[in-house]
Amino acid sequence: MKSVKELLPPVRLGVNIDHVATIRNARGGTHPDPVRAAFAAVRGGADGITAHLREDRRHIRDRDLQRLRHELKVPLNMEMAATSEMVALACDLRPHACCLVPERRAEITTEGGLDVVGQQAALGEVVARLKRAGIRVSLFIDPEPGQIEAAALTGAQVVELHTGAWAAGRDGELERLQQGARLAADVGLEVHAGHGLTFGNVAPIAAFPQIAELNIGHFLIGEAIFDGLEGVVAHMKSLIMAARGE
Ligand code: PXP
């Protein structure tokens, strides 16, 4: 007889290639090319590519996104702040998905989830515009019940749960994430997760039955320095599949 674990649906792996652009931009030239990295990630088994167009263009630039959109055969997930500039760019580009994230200029990385409760009406308008352009919309939030319920009310189809606190070792965070994933699925949202995930901490998150996609960047790009991106992505994919009993 099959165990419950063996019956879990597969989890997609989205590889975030922002930091290839960070290295490129350090010298102002064209090497290393984030689009080439995206192809290596796909060869390793990535199911999608994620790229964050920040307001200050510190890593991914507009031209990178256009090339990713037109050259890749796998879905492109554009991370962005819910600003009018970004919404207009996204509606023009029409990536498979947009993940709305909070963005503070001074932060090193996305530090916390969106406050959906505090800006539900404004986010609802952004979600509606993106959906009208045929884009699937995800909201990056902390696993808090109020934020999850508000996310569903905006019309977004997906929430991405912020795993940063889990990665940083905060007590009780795995349970909070599991309860958040359950609630999100119960209110009809597809559940994604990401931030700070590594070979060492991905399995318990990948094993949540509700998880449909994980988005992972910094660790994979860093590890690629030692072992190459294709192989590192393949190893991450195998850890995720093992956690699902595949
Ligand atoms: N998901 C979202 C919404 C993010 O903002 C980030 C960081 O850009 C990630 C996933 C990936 O996080 P990490 O780079 O720590 O793997």
Side-chain angles (χ1 to χ4, degrees):
M1 201 176 114
K2 288 197 164 195
S3 71
V4 171
K5 217 173 177 185
E6 282 173 311
L7 299 173
L8 294 177
V11 166
R12 295 186 301 273
L13 171 60
V15 174
N16 180 318
I17 42 98
D18 291 350
H19 295 309
V20 179
T22 305
I23 298 170
R24 175 198 60 193
N25 297 353
R27 284 287 172 96
T30 57
H31 185 272
D33 176 14
V35 180
R36 184 175 165 202
F39 278 105
V42 171
R43 284 196 303 278
D47 302 286
I49 295 296
T50 295
H52 184 172
L53 188 68
R54 282 184 166 266
E55 193 188 2
D56 62 7
R57 310 301 199 266
R58 71 172 72 153
H59 36 59
I60 291 295
R61 303 214 165 123
D62 302 53
R63 176 83 188 119
D64 296 323
L65 270 178
Q66 284 153 9
R67 289 180 57 217
L68 289 166
R69 170 73 177 86
H70 296 293
E71 294 178 34
L72 284 175
K73 300 274 186 292
V74 297
L76 174 64
N77 173 33
M78 175 181 176
E79 283 178 13
M80 57 182 235
T83 61
S84 45
E85 183 206 9
M86 288 298 155
V87 173
L89 281 169
C91 288
D92 228 32
L93 188 76
R94 292 173 193 254
H96 168 76
C98 280
C99 180
L100 301 179
V101 301
E103 199 174 293
R104 283 177 284 278
R105 263 180 183 264
E107 71 188 358
I108 293 170
T109 181
T110 314
E111 281 165 2
L114 272 175
D115 177 16
V116 188
V117 174
Q119 39 177 348
Q120 192 182 307
L123 282 171
E125 282 172 30
V126 169
V127 170
R129 269 190 74 190
L130 293 170
K131 282 171 73 177
R132 275 200 300 278
I135 301 165
R136 198 163 168 78
V137 187
S138 167
L139 303 183
F140 187 50
I141 57 172
D142 292 321
E144 287 170 18
Q147 298 295 348
I148 294 165
E149 281 156 7
L153 294 174
T154 65
Q157 300 104 322
V158 183
V159 279
E160 180 165 324
L161 300 179
H162 197 316
T163 51
W166 152 249
R170 195 205 273 171
D171 277 353
E173 198 58 23
L174 193 65
E175 293 70 26
R176 219 160 74 94
L177 284 160
Q178 173 63 95
Q179 282 162 14
R182 258 189 231 121
L183 174 62
D186 284 349
V187 296
L189 292 159
E190 182 172 304
V191 187
H192 300 179
H195 213 283
L197 295 177
T198 67
F199 290 158
N201 66 15
V202 74
I205 304 292
F208 293 169
Q210 300 84 3
I211 293 285
E213 180 174 308
L214 295 174
N215 283 300
I216 310 180
H218 185 268
F219 174 81
L220 293 174
I221 303 305
E223 199 64 13
I225 293 168
F226 307 106
D227 286 326
L229 188 56
E230 187 177 331
V232 165
V233 170
H235 186 54
M236 182 60 87
K237 192 76 195 275
S238 71
L239 293 174
I240 293 170
M241 288 169 70
R244 307 293 283 183
E246 287 175 52

